[in-house]
Amino acid sequence: MPADTAAPALLTGWGRTAPTAAARLVRPRSYDEAVSAVRAVRAGSSGGSRGGIARGLGRAYGDAAQNAGGYVLDMTGLDRIRTIDAEAGVVVCDAGVSLHQLMEVLLPLGWFVPVTPGTRYVTVGGAIGADIHGKNHHVSGSFARHVLSLDLLTADGDVLAVPRGAELFDATAGGMGLTGVILGATVQLHPVETSLMSVDTERAAGLDDLLARLTGTDHRYRYSVAWIDLLARGTSMGRSVLTRGDHAPPEALAALPKGARRAPLAFRPGRLPAAPSFVPDRLLRRTSVGLFNEFWYRRAPKSRTGELQRIPAFFHPLDGVPHWNRVYGRGGFVQYQFVLGYGQEDALHRIVRRISDRGCPSFLAVLKRFGAGDPGWLSFPLPGWTLALDIPANLPALGPFLDELDEEVADAGGRVYLAKDSRLRPDLLAAMYPRVDEFRALRAELDPHGVFMSDLARRLDL
């Protein structure tokens, strides 16, 4: 196989749960090497092998980019930015290019990525495959909405140029790598004049207060997110710190020291020491997280407007701590994210109350508003409320508890995010994703031998 091939490796998602054994890593460094790799996987699939799946920087929390006993194509070797149209704000790049790379190159030119999640260490291919969303979904939608076209390597070894709006494009956006290997993409960018954010912060006393503030004023902001205290109970249930903002205009820099005004588009992410390799499994428990949540809520201003923050601090604060996922200990953690449509606020209240009553020690819990849904057949967002929370994986009886939440989400017409999932039951998938049968039918047509396969695909019968 004309690509870097490693010995069988143990892989996990960012949550460090559900490890994959004996996956064989292949690292193509060109389109031709990727084609050769997929053709080799296809030849093996005809003989009963377990197929292959593309993998980027490993930031999917669950088992989407794992493939026990099969091949995993490490796409980070395809990392070229091919062309930049600095007038139109369009970039053509390989799928292994990270959002961090794009920011380093494009911010000095006055352009920003159209959508970014809570980490900039995701690849463009992964951003399309998971159809990632960010703090601006209520304004800008998900990442694939800004992709003009993509190059897709199919199961038969062909490379197709797939334009936005095509059926195969919509199946690939959010398709978790199961329609083929994304090799590259053409992406429309967002214009900016500085690398600073103008940020407003306020506290919400409870869940009703938070929803009212978001409903009434979110339209004023391009970016919006609320940290929510899921251990608070009673009248304080759902108390939150709401942070919203937009890219700062040049005149906002007048408040900075003269030296800081000389490079308005500079991109300078900070970096703290890495999390230790060993953290006691019982560090994050209800008492310790409760103390943290109390401190975090109290230290936030009741109301502050126009604070200038750098892009990394506003969008990616955890990226400044390498390997921050280690703080959950050897057992790892589950990142649970669901969305409920507008009109299902009672169901949202019930779920938040159940999480609070259960005492789930989550200190990274955020709530956002989604705007119009996206065309991807398995794209996660729909118009409504999305809540994401982290939970130590060794919490007693966590599996049955989350199963019950899944059922409540499905009954309310909501869904869980596949890019963060490692445990959803397959019988609930159709209720959450109405086009899943169309997706399966297209997969069967394009890939009858199961060339593209992952642990998630096997678990959910995709």
Side-chain angles (χ1 to χ4, degrees):
M1 185 178 298
D4 292 348
T5 305
L10 185 71
L11 297 175
T12 71
W14 192 246
R16 305 175 76 195
T17 60
T20 281
R24 186 169 294 276
L25 282 172
V26 180
R27 194 169 191 259
R29 297 180 179 274
S30 67
Y31 278 25
D32 288 343
E33 288 188 357
V35 169
S36 296
V38 166
R39 286 177 175 169
V41 173
R42 180 183 181 185
S45 297
S46 300
S49 80
R50 295 172 68 81
I53 194 70
R55 181 183 177 95
L57 288 167
R59 292 303 179 102
Y61 285 83
D63 55 2
Q66 301 173 195
N67 186 25
Y71 285 97
V72 173
L73 277 66
D74 177 351
M75 299 301 293
T76 57
L78 274 75
D79 59 356
R80 287 182 296 170
I81 297 176
R82 296 177 177 265
T83 64
I84 300 170
D85 185 335
E87 293 295 321
V90 174
V91 62
V92 180
C93 64
D94 289 349
V97 170
S98 70
L99 300 190
H100 176 85
Q101 287 175 264
L102 289 181
M103 291 176 197
E104 283 187 314
V105 173
L106 296 170
L107 264 171
L109 302 177
W111 296 98
F112 189 61
V113 293
V115 172
T116 177
T119 175
R120 60 187 178 274
Y121 294 112
V122 296
T123 62
V124 168
I128 298 169
D131 201 12
I132 61 171
H133 56 271
K135 300 176 181 179
N136 59 338
H137 190 277
H138 64 294
V139 173
S140 302
S142 61
F143 192 88
R145 190 181 297 185
H146 306 273
V147 176
L148 305 180
S149 65
L150 57 88
D151 295 330
L152 187 71
L153 172 56
T154 63
D156 57 10
D158 293 333
V159 178
L160 304 179
V162 185
R164 183 173 61 188
E167 182 180 72
L168 184 54
F169 186 101
D170 292 345
T172 301
M176 307 311 296
L178 297 173
T179 62
V181 177
I182 300 169
L183 297 177
T186 302
V187 182
Q188 179 68 59
L189 304 166
H190 178 69
V192 296
E193 296 178 283
T194 74
S195 60
L196 293 173
M197 305 297 297
S198 178
V199 181
D200 294 352
T201 304
E202 58 192 287
R203 292 198 314 223
L207 186 58
D208 285 331
D209 185 22
L210 173 63
L211 299 186
R213 290 171 188 254
L214 288 169
T215 301
T217 59
D218 236 19
H219 63 279
R220 303 175 188 169
Y221 299 92
R222 175 171 292 275
Y223 303 100
S224 174
V225 66
W227 170 86
I228 182 169
D229 182 359
L230 291 176
L231 288 176
R233 305 179 71 176
T235 58
S236 295
M237 187 191 76
R239 66 179 182 175
S240 309
V241 177
L242 181 55
T243 308
R244 297 181 286 186
D246 207 336
H247 298 278
E251 54 267 26
L253 274 61
L256 298 177
K258 187 175 181 179
R261 291 180 241 153
R262 292 174 182 162
L265 288 165
F267 181 57
R268 302 190 186 99
R271 196 169 180 86
L272 297 172
S277 58
F278 174 76
V279 177
D281 286 340
R282 298 188 64 83
L283 176 65
L284 298 180
R285 286 296 180 262
R286 180 168 183 167
T287 300
S288 58
V289 173
L291 290 171
F292 171 86
N293 287 1
E294 182 71 23
F295 164 77
W296 196 256
Y297 180 76
R298 296 296 176 187
R299 75 179 289 274
K302 291 184 178 180
S303 180
R304 181 176 59 200
T305 60
E307 180 191 15
L308 293 181
Q309 294 183 9
R310 296 199 175 276
I311 278 174
F314 182 76
F315 290 105
H316 317 117
L318 288 174
D319 281 347
V321 183
H323 306 294
W324 64 262
N325 56 342
R326 293 175 179 169
V327 303
Y328 296 86
R330 290 170 297 184
F333 69 104
V334 173
Q335 176 82 186
Y336 185 69
Q337 183 168 5
F338 66 89
V339 59
L340 297 174
Y342 296 123
Q344 294 296 333
E345 288 76 15
D346 286 347
L348 178 62
H349 275 77
R350 287 195 302 272
I351 292 174
V352 170
R353 186 175 297 109
R354 292 186 66 175
I355 294 170
S356 175
D357 290 345
R358 178 68 168 74
C360 291
S362 176
F363 71 96
L364 291 175
V366 296
L367 186 139
K368 297 190 292 283
R369 286 177 71 244
F370 278 163
D374 300 289
W377 293 0
L378 297 186
S379 290
F380 169 66
L382 55 83
W385 308 101
T386 181
L387 176 64
L389 61 147
D390 63 301
I391 312 171
N394 57 11
L395 196 70
L398 178 60
F401 175 69
L402 293 181
D403 285 345
E404 293 173 2
L405 295 190
D406 289 342
E407 292 170 3
E408 188 150 7
V409 168
D411 288 345
R415 57 185 60 150
V416 300
Y417 191 16
L418 297 184
K420 295 185 176 181
D421 176 58
S422 60
R423 32 140 313 273
L424 180 68
R425 298 198 320 261
D427 58 290
L428 292 176
L429 191 64
M432 294 181 173
Y433 290 90
R435 302 195 69 174
V436 68
D437 285 339
E438 293 177 68
F439 182 82
R440 287 171 173 145
L442 182 66
R443 279 253 297 154
E445 178 184 342
L446 293 175
D447 186 10
H449 300 294
V451 172
F452 300 118
M453 186 56 62
S454 66
D455 291 352
L456 177 142
R458 275 186 285 269
R459 176 169 56 84
L460 295 179
D461 190 25
L462 286 171

